[in-house]
Amino acid sequence: MEGSNSSEKVTETETPSFFTQEELSKLKSDFETGGLEKVKPLIEKKITDLDKTELNIAVIGETGAGKSTFINAMRGLRCTDPGAAEVGTTETTMEPTGYSHPTLPNVRYWDLPGIGSTRFAAAKYLTEMQFQRYDFFIIISACRFKENDVKLAREIKRLGKRFYFVRSKIDIDLHNTREENKVINEEEELKKIRNHCIKKLAGAGFPDSSVFLISGKKPKCFDFIQLNERLEGDLNNGKKRIFVLALPKLSVEIVQKKSKILSKHIWMFATLSGGLGAIPVPGFSLACDTVILIGAIVYFQICLGLDDASLQRLANRAGKPVEELRATVKAPLLGEITPDVIMRLGWGAAAVTVSALEFALDFVPVIGSIFGAGSSFLMTYKILSDALKNLTENAERMVEVAFETD
């Protein structure tokens, strides 16, 4: 990584990993003529481009199976939230309908029309639905898995992609059983439903199937979290990372998973900073570091659900005033992050000290470049490590307050 080893000579003619030589030259020129505001767009774009991994998840089921409710739950939305998938009992389209995650648009859930509502046989259906686009398939049923579900599962298996059987609307099943029997053993009832599904699937040629019992309206209950853990475990590293970052914030454990992944992003931001620190222009490194720090902290906020829109969605889901969640935050890292916020956090003194040294050394081209790269890397790494720790603690407190967990 550029700047992490002061024994290596980093000169202006070398190209750090995140920038072409042409981009570096333009950044230097723009900074000299227009200052920080002129170099911000390209640096912010580089931050946005650090992780462009896409994840496309297909959700298949007959009309009324609960596909839209499931998709909304996976995106952390209620059916009344802006951008939510429309919930109803009428098939509204014969085409795949994509729903992007509200904060991580590279993650998309696709509502595929039930095969019973189309004119296609299973093999033709998957072709028409652009089979290769999807990373895996969720096959949802609200009662029992039917012939069309099984046909699709066979075809998906033949074509070499993963699929998962999900039995939805479990809360309604339990409610109806209570209405009939007044008092029930919930654990026993769930066991009966699961065993019935597994038995029917075994008879259809899927002897070792797992069936996940869920309620899209109650994602903290039943097998919703277990399903997500299974999906996470079956994905490769790149896909797994973006999947976990997109998970709805339902527990402290999920927050901790997100934080662990984000901690691995810190070196990318620090290396980006170190690369720019190698450019020997007075004040350039500190200005760029400020943009990187703000961009990284905002990214952490979004992934941990601490941005304003995410907070409102969490409050809506928990049925609590958003002010109650905001009150749990004990640091100035909630809301807009500006250069003034960075300075007020107490990190400014260290940044000014490093900047003064850089300014003195910028006039010694080789030494200045070596120090600039190394100091920028280390300063950015330390600041972001502290910020992520702070944000994670805030996110954990919010989940505990929202869902009243221990």
Side-chain angles (χ1 to χ4, degrees):
M1 296 180 290
E2 293 83 2
S4 61
N5 187 340
S6 60
S7 65
E8 296 177 5
K9 290 186 178 181
V10 181
T11 68
E12 190 180 354
T13 60
E14 292 175 325
T15 305
S17 351
F18 295 111
F19 293 92
T20 65
Q21 189 60 49
E22 182 181 354
E23 287 171 334
L24 285 175
S25 298
K26 187 175 188 307
L27 281 170
K28 179 179 176 181
S29 173
D30 285 349
F31 181 75
E32 290 174 332
T33 58
L36 177 61
E37 288 304 313
K38 200 162 182 181
V39 299
K40 276 178 66 177
L42 179 56
I43 298 174
E44 289 172 343
K45 182 178 184 302
K46 287 293 180 181
I47 292 171
T48 303
D49 289 347
L50 281 177
D51 193 344
K52 283 292 188 180
T53 304
E54 289 194 0
L55 183 65
N56 291 285
I57 300 166
V59 183
I60 303 175
E62 294 187 351
T63 302
K67 293 180 293 180
S68 295
T69 304
F70 173 76
I71 288 171
N72 289 335
M74 291 294 288
R75 298 162 69 223
L77 302 178
R78 301 177 307 161
C79 64
T80 54
D81 289 336
E86 185 176 350
V87 175
T89 57
T90 303
E91 195 77 61
T92 58
T93 179
M94 293 298 103
E95 302 291 334
T97 304
Y99 296 94
S100 294
H101 188 275
T103 55
L104 295 170
N106 289 349
V107 179
R108 298 181 188 87
Y109 291 87
W110 295 86
D111 184 348
L112 274 56
I115 189 172
S117 63
T118 72
R119 65 185 184 278
F120 307 117
K124 183 68 172 175
Y125 171 90
L126 288 174
T127 301
E128 291 295 323
M129 297 301 124
Q130 302 176 51
F131 170 85
Q132 291 300 332
R133 169 192 286 170
Y134 313 111
D135 292 284
F136 57 84
F137 295 77
I138 305 290
I139 301 174
I140 291 186
S141 175
C143 49
R144 60 184 177 83
F145 294 100
K146 300 178 182 178
E147 183 181 356
N148 284 331
D149 300 320
V150 172
K151 284 180 179 178
L152 276 177
R154 287 179 185 145
E155 192 62 22
I156 294 168
K157 183 178 181 180
R158 185 182 71 81
L159 294 171
K161 294 243 181 173
R162 289 192 176 93
F163 59 91
Y164 304 85
F165 291 112
V166 171
R167 172 72 161 75
S168 63
K169 302 187 179 182
I170 294 299
D171 56 327
I172 296 175
D173 289 327
L174 294 177
H175 172 77
N176 291 339
T177 303
R178 287 192 181 95
E179 288 287 302
E180 294 174 2
N181 301 322
K182 303 302 181 183
V183 178
I184 67 170
N185 183 318
E186 183 172 301
E187 187 176 339
E188 286 298 318
E189 289 300 321
L190 293 174
K191 186 176 179 180
K192 286 179 187 177
I193 295 171
R194 192 189 312 278
N195 288 343
H196 177 74
C197 291
I198 290 173
K199 182 178 178 181
K200 292 295 183 182
L201 287 170
F206 295 94
D208 301 315
S209 297
S210 295
V211 176
F212 297 91
L213 311 181
I214 72 160
S215 164
K217 293 182 178 180
K218 297 183 176 182
K220 282 184 66 66
C221 301
F222 314 117
D223 294 340
F224 192 87
I225 290 177
Q226 289 89 331
L227 170 63
N228 283 321
E229 289 174 348
R230 175 68 177 274
L231 299 177
E232 175 193 343
D234 286 348
L235 289 167
N236 64 32
N237 287 338
K239 302 281 187 178
K240 179 185 296 188
R241 180 173 66 249
I242 196 71
F243 177 76
V244 171
L245 291 178
L247 283 174
K249 198 169 65 174
L250 299 173
S251 68
V252 168
E253 290 75 21
I254 290 175
V255 171
Q256 290 169 348
K257 281 185 179 182
K258 291 174 182 280
S259 181
K260 185 176 180 180
I261 286 173
L262 291 173
S263 69
K264 297 176 182 177
H265 283 61
I266 291 175
W267 74 266
M268 293 193 293
F269 291 114
T271 304
L272 179 60
S273 175
L276 292 169
I279 298 178
V281 175
F284 178 81
S285 178
L286 178 60
C288 292
D289 286 347
T290 302
V291 177
I292 292 168
L293 289 168
I294 291 172
I297 292 171
V298 169
Y299 179 69
F300 293 167
Q301 284 181 334
I302 289 171
C303 291
L304 290 170
L306 294 171
D307 59 295
D308 289 342
S310 295
L311 283 175
Q312 187 61 63
R313 287 191 293 269
L314 179 63
N316 292 343
R317 168 169 283 186
K320 295 190 175 182
V322 70
E323 292 75 17
E324 185 176 344
L325 300 187
R326 289 183 187 279
T328 67
V329 179
K330 300 179 180 178
L333 287 176
L334 192 68
E336 184 181 5
I337 304 298
T338 65
D340 287 342
V341 170
I342 297 293
M343 299 299 285
R344 286 201 306 272
L345 288 172
W347 300 326
V352 169
T353 300
V354 171
S355 179
L357 268 169
E358 287 178 344
F359 188 89
L361 292 171
D362 274 332
F363 299 100
V364 186
V366 176
I367 298 175
S369 293
I370 293 171
F371 180 83
S375 60
S376 292
F377 178 93
L378 293 172
M379 185 184 73
T380 301
Y381 195 95
K382 177 66 168 65
I383 289 174
L384 291 183
S385 295
D386 291 344
L388 179 58
K389 182 175 183 292
N390 183 288
L391 290 168
T392 300
E393 290 169 353
N394 282 314
E396 290 172 351
R397 282 195 295 271
M398 281 192 178
V399 169
E400 289 172 345
V401 170
F403 298 113
E404 297 182 348
T405 57
D406 295 328

